[in-house]
Amino acid sequence: MATHGGAAAAGRPYELVVFGASGFTGHFVAEEVARVAAGDELRGSLRWAVAGRSRDKLERVLDKAAERLGKPELKSEVGIILCDVSDPSSLADMAKQAAVVLNCVGPYRFFGEPVVKACVDNGTSCVDISGEPQFLEGMYLKYNDKAAEKGVYVVGSSGFDSVPADMGVLYTRDNLKGTLTAVESFLTVKSGPEGYSIHDGTWKSAIHGLADQDNLRKLRKQIGHKPLPIIGAKLKRRGLVFYSQEFKEYSIPFMGSDVSVVKRTQRYLHTDLQETPVQYAAYATVGGIASVIKLMFAGLLFFLLVKFSFGRNLLTKYPEFFSSGHFTKKGPTQKQIDGSSFTMTFFGEGYCEGQDPQQGKPNVKICTQVKGPDAGYVATAVAMVQAGVALLKDASSLPKQGGVYTPGAAFSKTKLIDRLNKHGIEFSVISKSEA
């Protein structure tokens, strides 16, 4: 068992390196690191750098962050590392200089693995914000053993996918007196008067992810996990579109990586820590019947086109047209971002203390919430940076062994939820019913 990432990397010039800092999401992450580095816990002690292909672009990102935070001295405090995802030796150089790499270069199915490999080879922990199950589970299959051997932590899906969902389920479990056996989450996203759009990097990831479902199934066969035992009453599946009584609007299954990530966390907690696995389903509210009809047309078109390479090319080339303006090559404006927020509501059920969850019906309920700013960029940056801080500061509470982990598996014993609460992603209990 190698030493913890923190100790192994103590002699390195930087604790955190933001790779891809000049990309659309990367500049939010760089700004968030700057904000956190000036804050209470780290108080100017954080050694960090930005990394990417172009010194000019990286300097512009630091200029913008300096201006937004009113910290003109920022540029003199932050390192700049030039490296390119297509040049493995430059990635190895970057990894050797860092304790933790925050990797913002996606779509990860195309650009993610070289970074994971460079980090694992060089004893560096890394965090990404991928919402692509195939990439996340592929990295587990290929690098889990080697990361364990090196004592480093590779933590995927540490953005909006899937920190709120994964940590939200753990928070719900920790606040229920008794045994939590099932949770459904509902995501509601609000946008301001300016509307909202998402940068087309996310759109590309979705196109390739849906086109490649068969390979995801093969990959899961290769990993070869036995199904998790179902404890407590079996969670009922809901339809493709259903009217949710709780929200008085229509809802659909949430398409992101949340379900696959939560399932992997629950498997780890069950297998390694002997905890009761929680069943989980994720939904998103979509509004009235008109929204449902629009969404179904768009969805059908998307699913038809995504199966063929010419269809994928069309989708990739004209994101605005095929997403009715939801995805754009420019991404959202600052005003749109400022006007946007999310709420994820968790409905949990379970069995009161002293009652065997294998017997009878669930008899305690709990409702919790995770609320935050703009999901796509602001909350994603906060979640990613706090995951990085938890790797640095809560090292003694991480799993004993390195490996490729979900956020919930890596951080269940750390102070990550407290850290998120302090930085605008707020966890709260709405109601509980005791038996």
Side-chain angles (χ1 to χ4, degrees), residues 205-253:
S205 303
I207 292 169
H208 294 289
L210 279 169
D212 220 6
Q213 288 292 310
D214 291 352
N215 280 324
L216 180 57
R217 280 191 281 274
K218 280 183 198 142
L219 179 68
R220 285 176 174 164
K221 258 207 186 98
Q222 232 177 316
I223 292 174
H225 286 314
K226 288 191 197 64
L228 270 175
I230 290 173
I231 311 287
K234 192 170 176 354
L235 191 55
K236 287 189 184 68
R237 307 289 316 152
R238 303 196 188 222
L240 272 178
V241 178
F242 59 94
Y243 187 74
S244 146
Q245 287 305 332
E246 296 88 352
F247 296 95
K248 302 284 179 264
E249 53 180 291
Y250 286 92
S251 299
I252 58 168

Side-chain angles (χ1 to χ4, degrees), residues 95-429:
K96 286 183 181 119
Q97 297 180 62
V100 177
V101 168
L102 302 181
N103 178 18
C104 306
V105 180
Y108 292 92
R109 69 167 54 241
F110 301 128
F111 305 120
E113 184 174 349
V115 181
V116 173
K117 184 181 189 315
C119 285
V120 172
D121 286 349
N122 292 289
T124 309
S125 290
C126 73
V127 174
D128 70 55
I129 44 181
S130 170
E132 307 158 57
Q134 201 180 338
F135 167 74
L136 297 161
E137 295 176 36
M139 292 306 95
Y140 171 79
L141 185 64
K142 275 177 117 160
Y143 294 98
N144 187 50
D145 294 346
K146 193 162 185 201
E149 194 182 300
K150 290 269 193 176
V152 301
Y153 299 87
V154 176
V155 190
S157 53
S158 293
F160 176 70
D161 303 84
S162 290
V163 165
D166 204 13
M167 300 311 289
V169 170
L170 298 184
Y171 176 84
T172 306
R173 176 199 72 180
D174 293 344
N175 280 284
L176 183 83
K177 278 198 172 71
T179 310
L180 182 71
T181 54
V183 174
E184 289 182 323
S185 69
F186 285 81
L187 170 65
T188 302
V189 174
K190 287 202 169 64
S191 52
E194 300 270 326
Y196 195 73
S197 63
I198 301 170
H199 187 258
D200 77 335
T202 304
W203 175 250
K204 286 181 191 143
S205 303
I207 292 169
H208 294 289
L210 279 169
D212 220 6
Q213 288 292 310
D214 291 352
N215 280 324
L216 180 57
R217 280 191 281 274
K218 280 183 198 142
L219 179 68
R220 285 176 174 164
K221 258 207 186 98
Q222 232 177 316
I223 292 174
H225 286 314
K226 288 191 197 64
L228 270 175
I230 290 173
I231 311 287
K234 192 170 176 354
L235 191 55
K236 287 189 184 68
R237 307 289 316 152
R238 303 196 188 222
L240 272 178
V241 178
F242 59 94
Y243 187 74
S244 146
Q245 287 305 332
E246 296 88 352
F247 296 95
K248 302 284 179 264
E249 53 180 291
Y250 286 92
S251 299
I252 58 168
F254 179 63
M255 295 295 287
S257 58
D258 289 357
V259 171
S260 91
V261 170
V262 169
K263 197 178 250 177
R264 286 171 57 215
T265 294
Q266 293 303 322
R267 173 181 301 286
Y268 167 80
L269 296 175
H270 177 64
T271 332
D272 288 53
L273 306 181
Q274 286 67 59
E275 292 172 10
T276 305
V278 177
Q279 305 168 63
Y280 175 65
Y283 301 100
T285 60
V286 292
I289 194 77
S291 310
V292 171
I293 291 166
K294 257 175 40 188
L295 202 78
M296 283 173 78
F297 271 112
L300 269 173
L301 190 60
F302 192 87
F303 278 108
L304 286 172
L305 287 172
V306 90
K307 292 211 182 316
F308 306 100
S309 65
F310 79 90
R312 290 194 290 279
N313 288 340
L314 278 175
L315 288 167
T316 305
K317 220 167 162 175
Y318 305 109
E320 288 189 53
F321 177 78
F322 286 105
S323 68
S324 11
H326 288 304
F327 291 88
T328 62
K329 289 191 188 290
K330 281 199 192 74
T333 63
Q334 192 58 51
K335 265 199 170 137
Q336 287 179 323
I337 286 169
D338 295 342
S340 170
S341 64
F342 78 89
T343 304
M344 203 176 255
T345 307
F346 298 82
F347 298 98
E349 59 174 34
Y351 294 75
C352 61
E353 279 168 318
Q355 197 201 340
D356 178 4
Q358 304 283 36
Q359 308 290 321
K361 288 200 165 90
N363 58 0
V364 283
K365 280 184 174 354
I366 182 169
C367 172
T368 62
Q369 245 173 20
V370 179
K371 284 180 131 138
D374 161 66
Y377 305 99
V378 183
T380 285
V382 168
M384 183 184 220
V385 173
Q386 292 309 319
V389 172
L391 286 176
L392 293 170
K393 295 284 169 199
D394 301 345
S396 59
S397 320
L398 295 170
K400 284 191 182 51
Q401 226 181 358
V404 175
Y405 287 103
T406 56
F411 301 125
S412 72
K413 303 260 189 283
T414 68
K415 299 199 201 88
L416 180 60
I417 288 176
D418 297 342
R419 295 179 189 290
L420 294 168
N421 267 322
K422 287 192 186 104
H423 290 88
I425 297 179
E426 291 161 18
F427 290 68
S428 62
V429 175

